[in-house]
Amino acid sequence: MPSLFRSAFPGVDKPLIAMAHVPALPGAPLYDAQGGVDALVEHVHRDVGILVDAGFDAVMFCNENDRPYQLHAGPESAAVMSRVVTECRPTSIPFGVDFLWDPRIALATAVATGASFLREVVTGVWESDMGLWNTDAATTLRERRRLDAHGLAVLINVTPEFASPLGTRTPAQVARSTVVSSLADGILVSGPMAGAGPDVSTLREVRDAVPDEVPVLLNTGARAETIAEMLAIADGCIVGSSLKVDGETWNPVDPDRARRFVAAVKG
């Protein structure tokens, strides 16, 4: 079968996906109640415009500042994320959705807005900053089927940030197993937290463990200075923090940093 993920990028060998970080949503401790949802839309709309102009192949919307992250969010999160994505989604390039850390919200938002892909952790059991984290790939993929979202690629993060696995399998072993048991449309390899990358050796081991037809993407820690080395191994990347003002995850996108990152790959 053709790759759902690759079909979203015809003619693009190794997609560069830039993060469109949504500020804290209503109910979260850092939510700007005075600015309200309109302020979220304004912030994200600006960032998306910069990322499209810089030449990225796609953007991915994520509730990055919804700290502390929830494993089970409420319906208002899906509603507000859907409004932000609908008002800010690009028309010239594909887009995806992520929700930290509830795949139900990500899937609902993706279906409501017409996203091409979503990113989630849906396999394994983890000890994490959010407590014990148990996942359920079967429910996520059955819900995708029930909602008739057959073209929505599910990218599975096998080394999630802010967490460590319960068990002794290596990331490469988990990735190989996930492709078989959980029907991953793509595998993502992360470092220990946002903005921090994985070891190059881990990325290479995961790429070697997964069939060639399944893309493996660098999920965190992408930087203009090292992206060429990473893309010699990975099939694309997702980048957020290094595109921000001063390289800080929570800041707005810096147009110069965004352009430099794309130039480091595409010239």
Side-chain angles (χ1 to χ4, degrees):
M1 294 179 62
S3 165
L4 284 180
F5 178 72
R6 294 190 193 280
S7 66
F9 299 96
V12 179
D13 182 33
K14 298 195 174 187
L16 306 181
I17 302 171
M19 295 303 304
H21 289 154
V22 181
L25 302 179
L30 299 177
Y31 175 60
D32 174 14
Q34 183 173 358
V37 176
D38 286 344
L40 304 184
V41 172
E42 181 180 356
H43 176 100
V44 176
H45 191 272
R46 171 197 174 275
D47 280 358
V48 169
I50 293 171
L51 297 170
V52 171
D53 288 345
F56 283 94
D57 300 304
V59 297
M60 180 157 58
F61 297 90
C62 177
N63 62 322
E64 194 73 28
N65 211 12
D66 243 7
R67 298 172 288 165
Y69 302 125
Q70 295 178 287
L71 300 179
H72 303 286
E76 73 283 355
S77 295
V80 175
M81 280 292 290
S82 293
R83 177 184 167 190
V84 172
V85 175
T86 297
E87 295 199 29
C88 301
R89 60 191 174 185
T91 58
S92 58
I93 57 175
F95 67 93
V97 172
D98 181 27
F99 192 90
L100 307 173
W101 293 96
D102 189 338
R104 300 172 308 147
I105 304 299
L107 182 58
T109 303
V111 170
T113 60
S116 297
F117 55 92
L118 67 80
R119 172 182 74 174
E120 279 299 337
V121 177
V122 294
T123 60
V125 181
W126 310 83
E127 67 80 23
S128 76
D129 293 357
M130 293 74 67
L132 186 63
W133 184 357
N134 197 3
T135 64
D136 189 353
T139 294
T140 299
L141 295 189
R142 280 167 173 77
E143 189 69 359
R144 178 177 67 173
R145 178 66 179 243
R146 186 183 73 83
L147 296 175
D148 198 29
H150 305 302
L152 178 67
V154 176
L155 308 180
I156 298 180
N157 186 351
V158 297
T159 54
E161 309 93 293
F162 309 106
S164 59
L166 299 182
T168 59
R169 291 185 298 166
T170 66
Q173 290 171 327
V174 171
R176 183 188 295 116
S177 175
T178 295
V179 169
V180 174
S181 70
S182 300
L183 307 178
D185 296 310
I187 295 293
L188 306 179
V189 183
S190 309
M193 62 184 297
D199 291 336
V200 175
S201 60
T202 299
L203 183 63
R204 182 177 292 108
E205 289 165 4
V206 170
R207 177 60 278 177
D208 290 344
V210 171
D212 291 343
E213 61 268 22
V214 179
V216 172
L217 278 69
L218 174 67
N219 191 48
T220 64
R223 292 177 173 79
E225 298 78 13
T226 59
I227 190 58
E229 176 187 11
M230 293 297 192
L231 288 182
I233 304 168
D235 300 301
C237 77
I238 298 169
V239 57
S241 298
S242 70
L243 308 179
K244 302 299 192 68
V245 173
D246 298 328
E248 293 292 333
T249 302
W250 324 113
N251 287 343
V253 171
D254 182 327
D256 291 336
R257 282 176 170 264
R259 286 192 293 267
R260 284 200 302 270
F261 188 92
V262 173
V265 178
K266 300 184 179 183

